[in-house]
Amino acid sequence: MEHTTQTPEVYDFRQYDRIWQRVAPNLEPYPGMSVQQTASVQPAARMEAAAPAAPAASGLPAAPESPAVPVPAGSMASLPGAERNPCCMGTEAAEMLNVIAGYIEAALSDRRYLLALARQAPSWARKDLRDMAADLQDQARRLMAAHYLITGQCYRPSVSTERIYVGRWCPALRERYHAAACSGLNYARSAEDAIDPCLTKLFEEMSKQSYGHAETLMGLLQRSLQGM
């Protein structure tokens, strides 16, 4: 025997409002019910009435609906690396990408000159020259890391096959001294011009290191001149 289930009638409270307005306009139509509760019932009733009829059962139990899990606003932005414009190495640092690329090429070029100079230097000066060359290689790597942090792309430095002519020892030291001192000055100026705080710190450290190289080269030159 088939049983039919009657859908409970949905009351439209608006028709009762109209009746109460005609019969007893000064009385409360729904004693004990606040205006806010009445207003909330009416939209719910309209939504229930407008909902489409459920399809006929196919004999299988209906799968329970998974409750929606609210996602807190800004949760993705709080994850590490999720910021589109981070406070360091972001758009402000991108303005100095050409400067960074120039420093990478200059550091690698100066490194090649120091290694060539070390091959012709007196034995007592070779370690200092090789240590400075290693510092310059480290500078280039740090600058390439900064370039990647800003752009997300690896910088490919140019590979030079040009043969380096060092020349005489003392003039070569003099040339390397000026190159190191100028690098220190240029890094210091870039640190002042940079808006990005992390890039400023990086330039300041490299400026200090370059001035240290200039002092080492001056010491090598002083010792060389004393033996003349």
Side-chain angles (χ1 to χ4, degrees), residues 53-67:
S58 59
L60 298 177
E65 296 183 0
S66 300

Side-chain angles (χ1 to χ4, degrees), residues 143-188:
L143 289 166
M144 284 189 283
H147 186 279
Y148 185 85
L149 288 173
I150 298 169
T151 65
Q153 299 177 354
C154 295
Y155 180 83
R156 304 295 181 184
S158 58
V159 179
S160 176
T161 57
E162 180 185 2
R163 184 170 180 174
I164 299 176
Y165 175 75
V166 176
R168 293 182 300 166
W169 170 246
C170 286
L173 285 177
R174 178 176 178 266
E175 178 185 353
R176 289 299 93 201
Y177 167 84
H178 286 298
C182 287
S183 293
L185 178 61
N186 290 332
Y187 278 129

Side-chain angles (χ1 to χ4, degrees), residues 96-220:
M96 305 197 73
L97 280 175
N98 291 335
V99 176
I100 294 174
Y103 284 146
I104 294 173
E105 299 294 341
L108 294 176
S109 176
D110 291 342
R111 171 183 175 270
R112 294 178 65 245
Y113 273 95
L114 288 175
L115 290 176
L117 184 60
R119 289 191 289 268
Q120 302 180 22
S123 58
W124 52 266
R126 291 173 186 171
K127 184 181 183 305
D128 287 336
L129 294 172
R130 288 170 181 165
D131 288 345
M132 286 186 286
D135 289 342
L136 291 174
Q137 185 176 24
D138 181 66
Q139 284 187 11
R141 288 174 178 172
R142 294 183 68 188
L143 289 166
M144 284 189 283
H147 186 279
Y148 185 85
L149 288 173
I150 298 169
T151 65
Q153 299 177 354
C154 295
Y155 180 83
R156 304 295 181 184
S158 58
V159 179
S160 176
T161 57
E162 180 185 2
R163 184 170 180 174
I164 299 176
Y165 175 75
V166 176
R168 293 182 300 166
W169 170 246
C170 286
L173 285 177
R174 178 176 178 266
E175 178 185 353
R176 289 299 93 201
Y177 167 84
H178 286 298
C182 287
S183 293
L185 178 61
N186 290 332
Y187 278 129
R189 288 175 174 173
S190 297
E192 294 176 355
D193 295 338
I195 303 176
D196 184 277
C198 295
L199 195 58
T200 297
K201 182 176 181 293
L202 179 63
F203 287 153
E204 289 174 348
E205 292 174 357
M206 293 187 174
S207 174
K208 182 178 179 180
Q209 189 176 52
S210 297
Y211 278 128
H213 291 173
E215 292 178 2
T216 300
L217 289 164
M218 178 179 285
L220 296 178

